[in-house]
Amino acid sequence: MKKIVIIDGGPRKNMNTAQLLQQFADGAKSADSDIEVKTIRLYDLDYKGCMSCMACKLKGKASNICRFKDALTPVLEDIAVADGIVLGSPIYFGEVTGQMRAFLERLSFPWLSYNDYSLTAPKRMPVLLVETMNGTPDRNNSNGYGTMEWCIATALGEPQRIVAYNTCQVAKYDRYELGGFSEDAKRAWRDAHWEEDLKKAYEAGRLMAGQ
């Protein structure tokens, strides 16, 4: 049975990132009813970034799966045998969330060989990167997945990407100190683009399920 793992690096269970990832899952299942689509919410797990224990580099015991044991261990083991992976995160201060960055350290450091500096994952697979942000296409400071994207592309394969711009942060703007944003402009952008963003995520799910 084909398996796709979705990693949700956002803190809110029902907002923009989560909605896009759910659409991806729905699209994948629509293409193949037998496919297993597993969603992991990083904010629900108790884990840390790379501990620099170097257990993955021990002579005779080197591993391209992190050997540090915590709540992330079964997730990394699932990804090692998956047939596709989706990484989703809101963009905070131009970067993915701290939880996503810590996860990516644990995912990718074991791939790195300090003998020849190659990057080798347990298996190559299709990858989709999802970003949600306040910025617009012509005005944003996003570095997205940063240097980790190079690790992903090298070890797993060149990723596809969906970026949802100018997303609404809250349901009711008058309850918060958010004077730098025009709620009317936010709503207008959402009305013009959000359904298309959801459709892109759904179609990406159908595509990955068929690969």
Side-chain angles (χ1 to χ4, degrees):
M1 178 187 294
K2 183 177 287 188
K3 180 175 186 175
I4 296 174
V5 177
I6 298 172
I7 303 296
D8 184 349
R12 297 195 281 181
K13 296 182 178 181
N14 300 304
M15 287 295 285
N16 306 300
T17 304
Q19 289 178 36
L20 288 172
L21 296 178
Q22 184 60 57
Q23 283 296 304
F24 175 94
D26 291 346
K29 292 173 184 176
S30 76
D32 183 352
S33 59
D34 292 328
I35 197 169
E36 180 184 356
V37 182
K38 188 171 185 177
T39 299
I40 308 296
R41 296 197 70 257
L42 295 180
Y43 276 78
D44 289 343
L45 303 180
D46 183 10
Y47 69 98
K48 298 176 175 63
C50 179
M51 299 297 289
S52 195
C53 65
M54 303 302 282
C56 63
K57 308 290 188 255
L58 284 171
K59 286 188 175 181
K61 298 181 180 180
S63 172
N64 53 11
I65 303 173
C66 179
R67 290 186 174 276
F68 187 82
K69 303 300 182 184
D70 62 8
L72 208 56
T73 300
V75 178
L76 298 171
E77 291 173 347
D78 275 345
I79 293 169
V81 297
D83 301 293
I85 183 172
V86 183
L87 306 176
S89 177
I91 299 299
Y92 295 162
F93 293 95
E95 308 285 350
V96 294
T97 61
Q99 279 76 3
M100 177 60 78
R101 168 69 194 205
F103 161 80
L104 290 172
E105 288 179 358
R106 294 279 299 282
L107 178 70
S108 61
F109 184 60
W111 300 342
L112 174 63
S113 167
Y114 277 144
N115 293 323
D116 60 9
Y117 294 94
S118 61
L119 282 159
T120 306
K123 64 184 290 190
R124 294 176 69 83
M125 66 187 70
V127 182
L128 174 68
L129 304 180
V130 175
E131 302 168 39
T132 59
M133 68 178 72
N134 295 326
T136 61
D138 58 351
R139 188 178 180 183
N140 72 81
N141 65 343
S142 175
N143 294 313
Y145 289 78
T147 55
M148 291 299 184
E149 186 170 337
W150 177 80
C151 297
I152 291 165
T154 302
L156 299 179
E158 193 65 34
Q160 301 298 306
R161 184 190 308 277
I162 294 174
V163 181
Y165 293 100
N166 205 14
T167 54
C168 291
Q169 304 103 312
V170 295
K172 297 181 179 180
Y173 276 72
D174 59 1
R175 294 183 59 195
Y176 302 91
E177 295 290 349
L178 293 171
F181 299 100
S182 164
E183 181 173 0
D184 289 343
K186 283 279 192 181
R187 301 294 180 198
W189 182 282
R190 186 178 180 88
D191 290 345
H193 297 280
W194 184 240
E195 288 302 319
E196 183 63 24
D197 292 335
L198 293 174
K199 182 179 178 181
K200 288 177 182 177
Y202 186 90
E203 291 303 319
R206 287 180 57 82
L207 176 63
M208 190 178 291
Q211 290 180 293

